[in-house]
Amino acid sequence: MSTQKKDNTTPASGSVVRRGLLTPQSSYVEDELAQDNASTSLKRKNSFRDLDSDQVHTRSLSKRSRLEEITAALQKPLKPQPESSQARTSSLNRTASYSRLPRTDPSTHLVWLDLETTDAGIPYQDIKILEIAVRITDKDFTPLDAGVSFLVHWAGKATFGALETIPPVVIAMHRKSGLQHDYDHTPTPERKSLEHVERLVCDYVKSHRIYSGAIMAGRGIGFDRNMIRYHMPKFDKIFHHQIFDITTLWHLISRKYERQRRFKDSVQHRAMDDVSGAIREAKFYADLVFKTPSEVTWPSVDGPSTEREVMLVVQSISVSHQPFSPPSTKALSLLRSSLSAPYPPGQAEKKSLDFNLDVVEGPPTSDQMRTILSYLPSKAISPSHAFLSAHYATPTGSERPEGVSAIANLAQNNPSALKWPIVVDWHGGQAAIGDIEGVKAILETLRKKRDGELKEDEVDQPKGWFT
């Protein structure tokens, strides 16, 4: 893995607020910085070497005080502001530029997302994205900034009416929300294609130093995730395969507290409005229903520190195994040997590897197959090429399944059609399908980590299920 190039212009977290930061209080920050720049532009021409030690100390304290004041302003909770349709239209079509920020921890922060589309009940390849909104919050559901929202215009579809396969109920919904009006009245030079919008949302998330392992969050986010996976593959690579769906919280709360209705106006069918509504709903549940950390005593996890360390550190490798397959039998033997004997083999001074081995005699599920595909070195490989074997029982021609769901169904009825074994390191985000060399590569990564040969960012960068 390549190491991120150090940006010498990027300050330590909390130490500098730079002009152009897109935040709820950005106008306040920019005005204050502009005044500060105007009043000190001449002073900055004076070298510190012309000042005595007391003057240098005084100026340093003054500067530090201003930075602390601005940082405190940025940390105030966001207050939702009414926004006119005209103002929203202007913001949707404005090309944003982002400051360089300290790296955001994707293990604690959430990337909230919502899509407005032409339909939701047909195959993803036939659905068009009309609008996308993205916003990032910390672990307390406090937004880091105002987020971004963009309309997506399609070639040859100058008006909303020119879009195909939109059911009447969806047309009425987008007309009521104002999306149809904004789509039709966006000036031609300001219209953005799907590829352009994908670059913009990638730039936004990466401006917060989130490059991979991000958790996608939202309401009913499973649909949005599948749309992003199909239509925005570059953006999809930024995200972990796990998601945070507040609908799960709603189903829990509605049953425990016998609630029948959710928040009024929580769904407006405009991307940014729905993102903001989802964030408010999550924060409401967290504040009202869940206990504070000091009130919770966790079972077993609060045992000896060594037990906790094992729970958090030990990786898990699963093997979808078939005894009739020689490669599968060989791979399983190799994995078990690495746990019980020195690894690499023949080096008696080395210890064995340490990981949890889960052996399943059967194929993975369709959802697991999708995750496994994302772990393969070649992201462009098709599901059929990755999973299907050359066995004579494997369907060919028009009967050959291409989709993951069809392949999973075939594997249940015809195991010989699948390549064996399927070995997955869920923690490290690596997979090997019918490939002994791939299994050795997974073990070599574990060996390097054990021996301290991996760089820190390669070890800690979130990739798989247990990060």
Side-chain angles (χ1 to χ4, degrees):
M1 297 178 58
S2 61
T3 306
Q4 293 295 334
K5 182 179 180 181
K6 184 177 180 181
D7 185 354
N8 293 324
T9 65
T10 303
S13 178
S15 64
V16 172
V17 178
R18 303 186 60 184
R19 182 164 181 163
L21 175 62
L22 191 61
T23 67
Q25 297 84 10
S26 60
S27 60
Y28 162 77
V29 175
E30 294 185 6
D31 291 344
E32 292 293 325
L33 288 178
Q35 295 175 12
D36 186 58
N37 288 338
S39 63
T40 62
S41 59
L42 293 178
K43 295 179 181 179
R44 287 174 181 168
K45 295 180 180 179
N46 298 327
S47 172
F48 273 102
R49 66 188 179 188
D50 297 328
L51 305 176
D52 59 33
S53 59
D54 290 338
Q55 289 175 309
V56 172
H57 180 68
T58 301
R59 289 185 60 172
S60 298
L61 289 177
S62 176
K63 186 174 182 180
R64 186 181 309 160
S65 175
R66 289 291 299 130
L67 292 175
E68 291 174 352
E69 177 185 347
I70 296 173
T71 302
L74 290 176
Q75 293 173 346
K76 292 181 180 178
L78 173 65
K79 296 181 180 179
Q81 299 292 337
E83 183 181 29
S84 66
S85 176
Q86 182 177 2
R88 181 194 292 121
T89 304
S90 175
S91 66
L92 291 176
N93 296 284
R94 183 172 61 247
T95 301
S97 61
Y98 314 106
S99 296
R100 307 288 287 178
L101 304 177
R103 182 180 176 90
T104 302
D105 185 356
S107 67
T108 58
H109 290 64
L110 297 169
V111 179
W112 296 78
L113 183 145
D114 186 76
L115 301 176
E116 296 300 326
T117 63
T118 57
D119 203 339
I122 60 177
Y124 297 116
Q125 61 267 28
D126 298 327
I127 304 175
K128 288 181 170 59
I129 297 174
L130 300 177
E131 186 178 46
I132 181 172
V134 185
R135 200 173 189 184
I136 301 174
T137 69
D138 62 14
K139 63 183 180 63
D140 297 316
F141 307 116
T142 302
L144 303 188
D145 54 38
V148 293
S149 180
F150 302 101
L151 288 174
V152 179
H153 283 83
W154 295 83
K157 314 296 180 184
T159 63
F160 196 84
L163 296 166
E164 303 93 353
T165 67
I166 307 184
V169 64
V170 177
I171 294 176
M173 178 183 73
H174 290 324
R175 183 183 299 117
K176 180 180 179 181
S177 70
L179 190 150
Q180 179 177 353
H181 176 274
D182 291 348
Y183 186 96
D184 290 345
H185 292 83
T186 300
T188 301
E190 297 180 7
R191 297 188 172 203
K192 298 176 178 64
S193 67
L194 181 69
E195 293 75 15
H196 187 183
V197 170
E198 182 178 24
R199 290 197 302 271
L200 292 175
V201 292
C202 285
D203 289 345
Y204 166 68
V205 175
K206 290 178 180 179
S207 73
H208 285 276
R209 295 292 194 271
I210 298 178
Y211 303 104
S212 67
I215 300 298
M216 184 184 293
R219 181 189 292 109
I221 197 65
F223 168 80
D224 304 75
R225 180 61 198 270
N226 285 325
M227 286 290 293
I228 293 297
R229 181 180 287 119
Y230 185 86
H231 292 282
M232 293 184 169
K234 294 179 181 178
F235 190 39
D236 181 65
K237 290 181 180 179
I238 294 176
F239 292 96
H240 196 282
H241 76 277
Q242 294 177 350
I243 59 175
F244 175 68
D245 192 341
I246 63 166
T247 306
T248 303
L249 297 179
W250 163 246
H251 283 297
L252 174 65
I253 288 167
S254 66
R255 287 158 175 77
K256 186 174 180 63
Y257 297 96
E258 298 183 354
R259 296 281 299 175
Q260 301 301 318
R261 298 185 64 185
R262 297 173 78 167
F263 292 96
K264 182 180 180 181
D265 299 329
S266 62
V267 180
Q268 299 292 319
H269 298 297
R270 291 307 298 266
M272 185 55 78
D273 291 337
D274 290 353
V275 163
S276 300
I279 295 172
R280 288 196 298 270
E281 188 172 351
K283 186 171 179 60
F284 177 84
Y285 294 150
D287 293 343
L288 183 68
V289 177
F290 297 141
K291 295 180 179 179
T292 62
S294 61
E295 297 173 320
V296 178
T297 301
W298 294 99
S300 72
V301 178
D302 290 326
S305 60
T306 54
E307 177 185 352
R308 185 184 303 116
E309 289 172 0
V310 169
M311 293 180 64
L312 295 177
V313 174
V314 175
Q315 298 185 215
S316 179
I317 293 181
S318 70
V319 184
S320 294
H321 170 62
Q322 277 296 344
F324 63 72
S325 168
S328 186
T329 302
K330 183 176 180 180
L332 182 57
S333 175
L334 178 63
L335 289 165
R336 285 174 171 167
S337 175
S338 70
L339 287 170
S340 59
Y343 192 88
Q347 298 186 21
E349 73 280 3
K350 295 292 186 179
K351 296 181 180 180
S352 60
L353 297 179
D354 187 16
F355 58 90
N356 293 324
L357 181 60
D358 182 22
V359 182
V360 180
E361 291 194 3
T365 66
S366 58
D367 285 339
Q368 288 173 336
M369 285 185 175
R370 291 187 182 94
T371 301
I372 291 168
L373 281 174
S374 70
Y375 288 170
L376 296 178
S378 175
K379 306 299 182 183
I381 192 171
S382 67
S384 62
H385 183 72
F387 289 105
L388 295 183
S389 71
H391 194 274
Y392 68 87
T394 304
T396 59
S398 60
E399 297 182 356
R400 184 180 179 87
E402 295 295 335
V404 170
S405 297
I407 293 173
N409 292 333
L410 173 65
Q412 291 289 345
N413 301 317
N414 183 8
S416 298
L418 214 61
K419 294 178 182 178
W420 301 97
I422 300 174
V423 180
V424 188
D425 175 4
W426 298 110
H427 184 108
Q430 290 182 284
I433 304 175
D435 178 17
I436 298 298
E437 294 303 317
V439 176
K440 292 180 180 179
I442 293 175
L443 294 177
E444 178 62 12
T445 300
L446 295 179
R447 197 276 305 165
K448 288 182 177 179
K449 183 175 181 180
R450 180 198 65 189
D451 296 343
E453 295 180 14
L454 289 182
K455 296 180 180 179
E456 182 178 351
D457 62 335
E458 293 179 310
V459 174
D460 297 335
Q461 188 173 7
K463 294 179 181 179
W465 286 45
F466 299 105
T467 50

